[in-house]
Amino acid sequence: MANKIHIVCVSGTREKLQMAAMIASVAAATGDQVSVFLSMNALPYFVKGNGAKAPAEGELGALLEQKGVPPFKHLFQQAAELGDAKLLPCSMALDLMKITKDDLDPELGPATGLTRFLSDAEGGQILTF
Amino acid sequence: MSECKVVDARNTFCPGPLMELIRHMKKASVGDMFELLSTDDGSSNDVPEWVHKAKHEMVSSEKVAGVWHIRVRKAR
């Protein structure tokens, strides 16, 4: 049976989003069932037309700017396209931002509450960034 | 022998080369051969690991003048 990996993205910093996206894309492309719960400061990057850059926390974050590093949004897209990863916007964060699923990038799945996410994640591992 | 398709992922960082290879292999037919070019040393460990896990076939792997040439056949 496929391994199940649940990722929670909370932070809006570049390093954390990058690491989460790397794990999501590689795991999903390898056949794991991946779901990514996007909340707090991680969610605004997935609003349609938001081209804002995630701020670097430190030295490695600055190095990620260099040419050849796949941007985290691209990796999340690949996770969804190549590996059927689910990218799930947190319904509470959507409410706070006064937006709906339609305001988000098309690769994002349905608005999801914590109860649903936790029940799907039961027995599996949850990684938080 | 079927043709060998070159996937040039030189100068991209992890997991760029692996994801490029997977993207191309997903669209290909069983039996197709790929040669991934990567300057990321991590690829020499990561790609065989993925090939094994995804049940494809490693053909060869060698570093020539700083570039990894990793040949893989789509097996399923």
Side-chain angles (χ1 to χ4, degrees):
Chain A
M1 208 181 104
N3 202 13
K4 281 166 88 173
I5 296 184
H6 301 269
I7 297 172
V8 179
C9 286
V10 177
S11 165
T13 63
R14 190 182 300 160
E15 289 91 333
K16 288 191 171 134
L17 287 163
Q18 186 75 18
M19 200 64 230
M22 287 167 73
I23 292 176
S25 59
V26 172
T30 310
D32 292 343
Q33 278 180 33
V34 176
S35 65
V36 184
F37 188 68
L38 298 160
S39 189
M40 303 300 170
N41 297 324
L43 188 61
Y45 297 104
F46 297 88
V47 174
K48 271 179 198 158
N50 181 2
K53 281 189 178 164
E57 279 181 321
E59 185 185 347
L60 266 286
L63 288 174
L64 287 174
E65 274 282 276
Q66 64 185 268
K67 206 167 162 271
V69 179
F72 69 83
K73 279 187 71 166
H74 186 206
L75 289 175
F76 277 128
Q77 274 164 12
Q78 286 188 325
E81 284 164 17
L82 298 178
D84 298 322
K86 287 184 275 182
L87 307 176
L88 305 170
C90 166
S91 49
M92 171 268 203
L94 289 173
D95 285 348
L96 278 176
M97 292 170 73
K98 298 188 168 55
I99 57 174
T100 69
K101 189 216 168 302
D102 296 339
D103 299 305
L104 300 173
D105 290 335
E107 66 269 21
L108 268 74
T112 301
L114 256 188
T115 312
R116 176 62 194 275
F117 181 77
L118 288 175
S119 88
D120 286 350
E122 206 175 306
Q125 51 187 333
I126 298 183
L127 307 171
T128 305
F129 292 90
Chain B
M1 204 176 85
S2 50
E3 60 175 308
C4 183
K5 190 170 173 18
V6 174
V7 178
D8 188 350
R10 283 176 293 176
N11 303 315
T12 68
F13 292 89
C14 170
L18 178 64
M19 297 307 290
E20 272 304 291
L21 177 68
I22 293 173
R23 190 167 67 80
H24 281 88
M25 282 184 71
K26 195 141 182 159
K27 295 181 293 195
S29 316
V30 172
D32 285 1
M33 179 119 102
F34 291 85
E35 180 167 334
L36 176 69
L37 305 184
S38 173
T39 44
D40 179 29
D41 279 327
S43 298
S44 66
N45 294 321
D46 264 7
V47 173
E49 181 71 29
W50 173 78
V51 168
H52 176 71
K53 195 171 174 193
K55 299 187 168 63
H56 295 298
E57 185 191 333
M58 271 302 292
V59 177
S60 62
S61 175
E62 56 176 346
K63 194 178 189 181
V64 181
V67 179
W68 283 97
H69 295 249
I70 303 170
R71 291 182 147 211
V72 177
R73 186 177 288 113
K74 182 172 166 114
R76 59 176 186 87

